[in-house]
């Protein structure tokens, strides 16, 4: 315990909550996947109950959680509207978004003209001000 690192080899955990690290992904990336991936999954499906055919707006889709949220929502059969600035636009497109709104040039609430079933706000904006019609 005198070297840098997490000393994960000494952690005790129930076997059923462990999964083998994928071989096709660098270990550091694989270690980060559960936190961001589960955050996206739980927000979309446990909390928002997103289902196939629904429309979801992912605000802040260019970030860590957003990349997973877009892919998971698309995989579930939802129609995904995503916001992304110039630096993350291509990545969000590759993730599978149906529509991309550039939040750096466009007022997002004005650009989304049709109702959405779910708003997943991952951006550092005040939801009460940005999404006044959403329940808390
Ligand atoms: N990361 C985790 O493991 C984790 C776990 C639990 C909870 N959370 C929470 O989830 C939220 C998102 O986390 P994150 O790690 O994904 O953050 P992040 O990587 O910083 O992503 C946030 C994204 O928001 C976009 N953005 C900035 N200003 C915006 C605006 N005005 N309108 C729309 N989009 C804007 C930026 O994308 P552009 O490149 O498009 O500008 C940025 O990439 C945070 O509230 C965080 O506390 C994160």
């Amino acid at each position: 315990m005198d070297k840098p690192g997490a000393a994960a080899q000494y952690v005790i955990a129930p076997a059923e909550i462990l999964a083998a690290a994928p071989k096709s992904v660098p270990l550091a990336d694989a270690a980060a996947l559960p936190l961001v991936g589960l955050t996206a999954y739980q927000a979309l499906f446990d909390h928002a109950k997103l289902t196939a055919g629904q429309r979801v707006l992912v605000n802040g889709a260019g970030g860590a959680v957003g990349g997973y949220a877009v892919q998971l929502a698309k995989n579930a059969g939802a129609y995904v509207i995503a916001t992304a600035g110039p630096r993350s636009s291509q990545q969000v497109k590759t993730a599978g978004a149906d529509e991309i709104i550039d939040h750096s040039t466009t007022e997002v609430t004005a650009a989304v003209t049709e109702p959405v079933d779910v708003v997943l706000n991952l951006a550092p904006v005040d939801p009460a001000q940005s999404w006044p019609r959403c329940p808390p």
Side-chain angles (χ1 to χ4, degrees), residues 12 15-18 20 31-32 35-36 40 48 50 52-54 68 88 95-97 114 119 121 127-128 130:
I12 297 173
E16 64 270 17
I17 70 164
L18 300 176
L35 181 58
V36 286
L50 182 72
Q54 288 191 318
Y68 287 96
S88 54
E114 298 292 319
V119 176
N121 181 44
S130 301

Side-chain angles (χ1 to χ4, degrees), residues 48-77:
K49 313 287 185 204
L50 182 72
T51 56
Q54 288 191 318
R55 288 163 55 84
V56 55
L57 170 62
V58 182
N59 192 42
V65 178
Y68 287 96
V70 170
Q71 293 178 71
L72 289 168
K74 274 306 291 178
N75 189 54

Side-chain angles (χ1 to χ4, degrees), residues 84-108:
R87 68 178 172 177
S88 54
S89 171
Q90 185 54 47
Q91 168 190 325
V92 171
K93 186 176 179 187
T94 303
D98 295 291
E99 288 179 40
I100 298 175
I101 299 167
D102 183 348
H103 65 78
S104 67
T105 59
T106 309
E107 180 57 50
V108 177

